[in-house]
Amino acid sequence: MLDFIYYPVSGILWVWHKVFGAVLGADSGFAWALSVVFLVFTLRLLLYKPFVKQVRTTRQMQELQPQIKALQKKYGKDRQKLALEMQKLQKEHGFNPIMGCLPVLAQAPVFIGLFHVLRSFNRTGTGLGQLGLSPEVNANTPNYFFSVDDVQSFLSARLFGAPISAAITSPDSVLIAFEPFGGIPSVWPIVAVSVPLMIIASVATHLNSRASVARQSEAAAANPQAAIMNKLALYVFPLGVLVGGPFLPVAILLYWVSNNVWTYGQQHLVFGRIDKEEAAAKEAALERRNENAPKPGARPELTKKKPAPGAKPVRPAVSSDGDSTAASTSSSSSSGNGGATTPKKKKTPPGKVRPKNQRRR
């Protein structure tokens, strides 16, 4: 049903085994272990750009938190209106919440595919998803991209005496399948290899979570839901690796360790680059502001006020003898009269008699 996942995963693992098997030997446990590690590196390299998008999306979400809280406060009772306004805000800022989950969603089927392919090298178990094959039939059954010779090579491989498809809790019915290919392995070599990998994987998970939490803003860290998720990531998930480690094959523990090592290095690389980009953007904005600011000692230019639209322009009054009356003169005369303005008398043209009611008494 999930062959579209199993075949690509087994194909990449097959390629890397051919590469390392040509150098270290096809039956070498280190060749198979390195094949698993570089399978993880290949898939994480393909997911590098989505990871960068995830980081940028997370930071953008932190920047939009004040606006999101304002929308929640304003439209808290109207769910439909809140959803529309949230979509509008995300569209305006080019924010895509799916990009924040894409790397995690893409790694989940890879983990499932690798777990299934590795377990399919030994199908003698009778548990959930096992076929209960006999050791002879199992050794002569291909495994997706791997031929019968590859299956037998995998069963012969040992990493410090431990088959990489065996777990600490593997029953005897599973371990007996290795008898024709180097004998039935003891549980102690499996413990000696698995326990250090479990501890490294747990510590690496905690360090990656701590690095992510340290980069959160104060507002995001103060969110109750974020605080719960931070505690889960810091303590519960690393503890889960220790508790679940005995049930996982050695190869899956190798996958977990290499995946966390890649994540740790990739986080520091990506976050360092984004921090430099943001610092350069802030410096450029500061330089532009300094360029637009007036120089020290320079007089600011006075701009004349433009008349309002439709308003008549103000013209200086002109007297009959051709002398214009300045606004300063009128203001000084008005201030001399105690603030009251006296109307000017019109001069009578020569030869014109005043009306009786306008003659001086």
Side-chain angles (χ1 to χ4, degrees):
M1 186 174 64
L2 296 177
D3 288 349
F4 68 96
I5 296 175
Y6 302 148
Y7 274 102
V9 171
S10 64
I12 297 173
L13 185 64
W14 179 86
V15 170
W16 283 116
H17 176 252
K18 293 301 178 184
V19 172
F20 292 108
V23 179
L24 301 174
D27 298 342
S28 171
F30 289 98
W32 282 102
L34 288 173
S35 301
V36 174
V37 171
F38 276 80
L39 164 67
V40 176
F41 291 170
T42 302
L43 296 172
R44 291 302 304 270
L45 187 62
L46 295 175
L47 295 173
Y48 176 76
K49 288 188 176 180
F51 177 80
V52 176
K53 284 280 188 181
Q54 177 192 11
V55 174
R56 296 187 185 277
T57 299
T58 303
R59 291 208 168 188
Q60 193 175 15
M61 187 175 181
Q62 292 177 358
E63 294 175 358
L64 294 178
Q65 278 299 318
Q67 301 181 46
I68 293 174
K69 288 183 178 179
L71 290 177
Q72 291 174 346
K73 185 177 181 180
K74 186 176 181 180
Y75 303 105
K77 296 181 179 180
D78 192 347
R79 298 281 180 155
Q80 186 175 3
K81 183 65 175 177
L82 177 61
L84 292 174
E85 292 296 328
M86 289 286 289
Q87 292 177 2
K88 184 179 178 181
L89 179 65
Q90 293 170 3
K91 188 176 181 180
E92 288 177 356
H93 294 270
F95 176 74
N96 189 358
I98 298 178
M99 294 304 299
C101 306
L102 182 60
V104 177
L105 295 176
Q107 290 181 53
V110 172
F111 179 85
I112 295 172
L114 179 61
F115 183 82
H116 177 77
V117 170
L118 292 174
R119 192 171 61 167
S120 296
F121 280 107
N122 188 353
R123 289 155 286 193
T124 57
T126 56
L128 181 64
Q130 292 287 342
L131 300 178
L133 302 179
S134 64
E136 294 78 11
V137 175
N138 176 73
N140 292 279
T141 303
N143 181 21
Y144 297 101
F145 264 91
F146 295 97
S147 64
V148 172
D149 293 336
D150 295 328
V151 172
Q152 295 179 3
S153 171
F154 185 89
L155 295 173
S156 302
R158 299 288 188 274
L159 186 65
F160 299 108
I164 64 174
S165 65
I168 295 176
T169 56
S170 294
D172 294 338
S173 60
V174 174
L175 297 179
I176 200 173
F178 298 99
E179 184 178 7
F181 307 97
I184 299 176
S186 172
V187 69
W188 295 111
I190 302 174
V191 171
V193 175
S194 298
V195 170
L197 291 175
M198 290 160 48
I199 295 173
I200 294 172
S202 179
V203 172
T205 303
H206 175 76
L207 292 177
N208 286 332
S209 301
R210 176 175 287 185
S212 299
V213 171
R215 291 185 176 94
Q216 290 180 355
S217 62
E218 294 182 0
N223 189 349
Q225 295 180 352
I228 294 174
M229 290 302 299
N230 290 340
K231 289 182 179 179
L232 290 175
L234 286 171
Y235 305 108
V236 178
F237 294 162
L239 184 61
V241 177
L242 290 176
V243 174
F247 302 93
L248 298 177
V250 174
I252 294 299
L253 295 175
L254 284 170
Y255 165 87
W256 203 275
V257 171
S258 54
N259 187 60
N260 278 280
V261 170
W262 179 279
T263 300
Y264 189 80
Q266 185 174 258
Q267 275 188 344
H268 283 73
L269 177 66
V270 172
F271 279 108
R273 185 198 299 179
I274 293 178
D275 290 340
K276 289 180 180 178
E277 291 177 359
E278 292 180 354
K282 290 180 181 179
E283 187 176 353
L286 185 61
E287 288 179 358
R288 287 194 300 268
R289 188 174 64 181
N290 292 336
E291 289 176 359
N292 296 331
K295 296 181 180 180
R299 291 183 63 185
E301 297 181 0
L302 298 176
T303 56
K304 296 181 180 180
K305 292 183 179 180
K306 295 182 179 180
K312 294 182 178 180
V314 179
R315 295 181 180 179
V318 181
S319 60
S320 59
D321 55 356
D323 295 331
S324 61
T325 58
S328 60
T329 308
S330 62
S331 62
S332 61
S333 62
S334 62
S335 62
N337 294 333
T341 58
T342 55
K344 294 184 178 181
K345 296 181 179 180
K346 294 184 179 180
K347 294 183 179 181
T348 305
K352 190 173 182 180
V353 182
R354 288 176 182 263
K356 289 182 179 181
N357 56 355
Q358 293 184 1
R359 288 180 183 175
R360 294 180 181 178
R361 297 178 182 178

